[in-house]
């Protein structure tokens, strides 16, 4: 126990050291844009300013404004609405650039307050003489991550000297006009932009991880179009550390590293005893790097974007699905050769270099104009680190500004693009070919897998491996995948709403999906078996009749004689009446004839009078029968 604690302490010191060495020796390059003061004359010049790591810099563009320095709240740590101050420019006037002092609160809070106060940009004046630094977002989790995502104005840090000079000019009543220029912020040498995204498959690191995966999801559509048309060359990258020689056999390095301490990542929960280990993160990162390598070799590097989004959706840590099995399912649903990926990953336990991760470690070190990559996520465009928030529109603007002028692809000029990704392999989404129903949807954000609603029937499921029509209407679509047939105007179906599966209807047998066969009730002796019965098979049923004047009772599968049945009684009664009627008719006719031939005498009249009541009776019987029909 004590040994473990000591090991943990030593390891923490090592991690701290690696970080410190990283930040002291690493070259973190401050990305700059230029700031041109156009008035007053005394300050006219072009100055450098450092682009903040939040907000939305106008890559490729310029912004003209007039500077304001607040009389109160000069560090902008409080909202300006509390002080009843607004910097909103009136129609026709120049936008306001708010100048504030460094100190007392986060840069991001200053920018947020300036934006809410109506400023178009924020200039933060340094409080000491030093080279320009990059204003970054706070690392703390509870530092107001919610408003961070909403900062949309550009921000710039300016030197103390420039800040002091602007304040002096303003206090003497001069108007200070500034032109912020981002056109040279990124090199734009040719008609292809190379960019790198340094990322991580860990999805449980709070707001940073969330904004990272949100960016990948949102940017996917544009990234894939740019890549497919050859406008860009994108490469994903992953940071790893190595375990110092002395700790290779420690429990900590064993749980955080693969390949004998060569490639390590911090434990996702910072707790060695629960959840996933650093090792799991390294392996998933390696899988993503390998997926890029394999798909790049087959000429489809853009599949990385699909894999990474799908993996994040389908295999999250909190559902305990951050596993090889889950990853393999995603890979297979995208139609990528799993064997090649496994080959590239190799054996994580082996004491050998992994060529892919070795290259990644070499790439971490800065070259040329690009500094070392030490923070995640980092976007590098044309070998310069991107500054500003990871937002689809902002990044697209930055990439677009990396093209030589007039060679920009049309996606840079419009946003109305379709991806047609569902045409290939159905985008890796669920589909029912027979019913012509798919969960794949083309959107500007690239394809998404979502169970559809078809002809008013809602499908439910994960969109990747299954979707199911909601129970109450399931037979509406493709008859619920069940057998159904129409013959001689009659339809029989093996689908029943609100019940699962397929079941042949009565009178049929089979699996209910592909076949249901008519049961021959006569041959199989299932019905109509009494000695007086005559059986005739029909489709889905049978006809049974009885010999003589017997009646067939379907429910009891038997023939019955008339006496036993109420129906026969009433029929007999009707027969008597009809007979009576016929006799009356015949009698009437005979009497008529008789009357014509001979004169009717009183006797005959008396007989007639005897018949009259019968006649009346027949009429009323006739009436009852009519009502019954
Ligand atoms: C940020 O913007 C979103 C959507 O535009 C909004 O719903 C949210 O309330 C905003 N957050 C803050 C802190 O203003
Ligand atoms: C990806 O493929 C392109 C073209 O085949 C190649 O130039 C590039 O070096 C490859 N990238 C990686 C990282 O393998
Ligand atoms: C499937 O449906 C789509 C639109 O819903 C239609 O364009 C296509 O022609 C259909 N295909 C078949 C084979 O019915």
């Amino acid at each position: 126990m004590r040994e473990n604690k000591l090991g943990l302490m030593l390891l923490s010191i090592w991690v701290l050291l690696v970080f410190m060495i990283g930040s002291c020796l690493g070259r973190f390059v401050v990305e700059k844009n230029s700031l041109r003061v156009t008035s007053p004359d005394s300050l006219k010049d072009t100055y450098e300013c450092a682009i903040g790591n939040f907000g939305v810099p106008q890559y490729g563009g310029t912004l003209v404004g007039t500077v304001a320095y607040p009389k109160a709240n000069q560090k902008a740590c409080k909202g300006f609405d509390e002080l009843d101050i607004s910097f909103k420019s009136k129609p026709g006037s120049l936008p306001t650039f708010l100048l504030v002092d460094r100190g007392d609160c986060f840069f991001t809070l200053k920018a947020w307050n300036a934006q809410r106060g109506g400023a178009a940009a924020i200039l933060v004046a340094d409080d000491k003489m030093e080279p320009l630094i990059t204003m970054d977002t706070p690392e703390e989790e509870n530092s107001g991550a919610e408003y961070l995502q909403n900062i949309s104005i550009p921000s710039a840090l300016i030197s103390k000297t420039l800040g002091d000079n602007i304040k002096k000019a303003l206090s003497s009543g001069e108007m200070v006009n500034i032109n912020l220029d981002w056109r040279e912020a990124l090199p734009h040498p040719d008609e292809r932009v190379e960019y790198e995204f340094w990322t991580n498959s860990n999805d449980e690191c709070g707001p940073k991880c969330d904004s990272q995966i949100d960016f990948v999801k949102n940017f996917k559509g544009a990234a894939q179009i740019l890549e497919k048309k050859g406008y860009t060359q994108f490469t994903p990258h992953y940071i790893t550390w190595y375990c110092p020689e002395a700790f290779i056999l420690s429990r900590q390095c064993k749980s955080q590293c693969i390949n004998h301490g060569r490639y390590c990542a911090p434990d996702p929960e910072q707790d060695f005893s629960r959840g996933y280990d650093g090792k799991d993160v390294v392996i998933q990162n390696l899988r993503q790097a390998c997926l890029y390598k394999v798909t790049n070799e087959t000429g489809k590097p853009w599949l990385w974007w699909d894999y990474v989004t799908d993996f994040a959706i389908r295999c999250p840590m909190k559902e305990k699905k951050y596993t090889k099995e889950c990853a393999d399912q995603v890979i297979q649903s995208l139609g990528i050769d799993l064997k090649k990926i496994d080959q590239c990953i190799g054996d994580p336990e082996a004491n050998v270099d992994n060529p892919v991760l070795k290259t990644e470690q070499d790439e971490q070190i800065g070259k040329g104009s690009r500094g070392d990559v030490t923070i995640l996520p980092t976007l590098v465009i044309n070998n310069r680190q991107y500054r500003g928030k990871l937002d689809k529109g902002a990044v697209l603007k930055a990439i677009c500004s990396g093209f030589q002028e007039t060679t920009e692809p049309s996606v840079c000029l419009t946003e109305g693009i379709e991806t047609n990704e569902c045409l290939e392999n159905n985008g890796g989404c669920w589909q029912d070919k027979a019913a012509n129903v798919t969960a794949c949807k083309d959107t500007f954000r690239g394809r998404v897998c979502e169970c559809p609603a078809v002809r008013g029937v809602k499908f439910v499921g994960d969109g990747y491996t299954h979707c199911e029509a909601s129970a109450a209407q399931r037979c509406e679509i493709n008859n619920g995948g069940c057998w159904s047939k129409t013959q001689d105007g009659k339809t029989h179906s093996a689908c029943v709403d609100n019940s699962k599966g397929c079941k042949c209807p009565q009178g049929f047998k089979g699996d209910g999906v592909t076949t249901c066969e008519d049961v021959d009730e006569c041959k199989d002796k299932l019905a109509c078996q009494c000695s007086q019965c005559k059986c005739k098979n029909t489709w889905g049923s049978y006809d049974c009749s009885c010999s003589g004047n017997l009646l067939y009772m379907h429910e009891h599968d038997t023939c019955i004689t008339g006496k036993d049945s109420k129906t026969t009684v009433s029929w007999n009664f009707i027969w008597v009446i009809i007979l009576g009627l016929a006799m009356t008719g015949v009698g009437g006719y005979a009497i008529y004839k008789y009357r014509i031939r001979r004169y009717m005498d009183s006797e005959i009249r008396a007989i007639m009078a005897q018949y009259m009541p019968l006649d009346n009776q027949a009429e009323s019987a006739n009436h009852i029968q009519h009502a019954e029909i």
Side-chain angles (χ1 to χ4, degrees), residues 243-294:
C243 179
E245 203 60 49
F247 296 102
I248 285 178
L249 295 177
S250 72
R251 193 162 74 92
Q252 287 73 24
C253 273
K254 279 191 171 160
S255 85
Q256 296 195 82
C257 310
I258 63 168
N259 292 106
H260 207 67
R262 282 178 176 79
Y263 315 107
C264 317
D267 190 281
E269 304 93 357
Q270 330 264 302
D271 182 344
F272 296 125
S273 60
R274 70 181 172 94
Y276 289 99
D277 294 329
K279 187 163 80 172
D280 301 315
V281 176
V282 183
I283 293 177
Q284 292 296 356
N285 286 351
L286 174 58
R287 185 165 284 119
Q288 299 194 350
C290 281
L291 188 125
Y292 173 77
K293 183 169 171 277
V294 169

Side-chain angles (χ1 to χ4, degrees), residues 87-120:
F87 303 102
K88 222 174 175 60
S89 54
K90 291 166 194 66
S93 70
L94 283 175
T96 309
F97 292 175
L98 188 66
L99 177 66
V100 304
D101 292 323
R102 183 176 172 186
D104 287 2
C105 59
F106 291 125
F107 290 123
T108 46
L109 182 60
K110 294 174 194 281
W112 179 237
N113 285 333
Q115 178 177 324
R116 283 194 306 154

Side-chain angles (χ1 to χ4, degrees), residues 5-24:
K5 273 210 175 121
L6 185 71
L8 194 66
M9 214 176 76
L10 282 173
L11 196 82
S12 313
I13 293 171
W14 159 62
V15 169
L16 206 70
L17 269 173
V18 168
F19 260 106
M20 277 168 58
I21 292 167
S23 50
C24 295

Side-chain angles (χ1 to χ4, degrees), residues 112 146-147 150:
W112 179 237
E146 208 202 319
Y147 76 76
N150 291 21

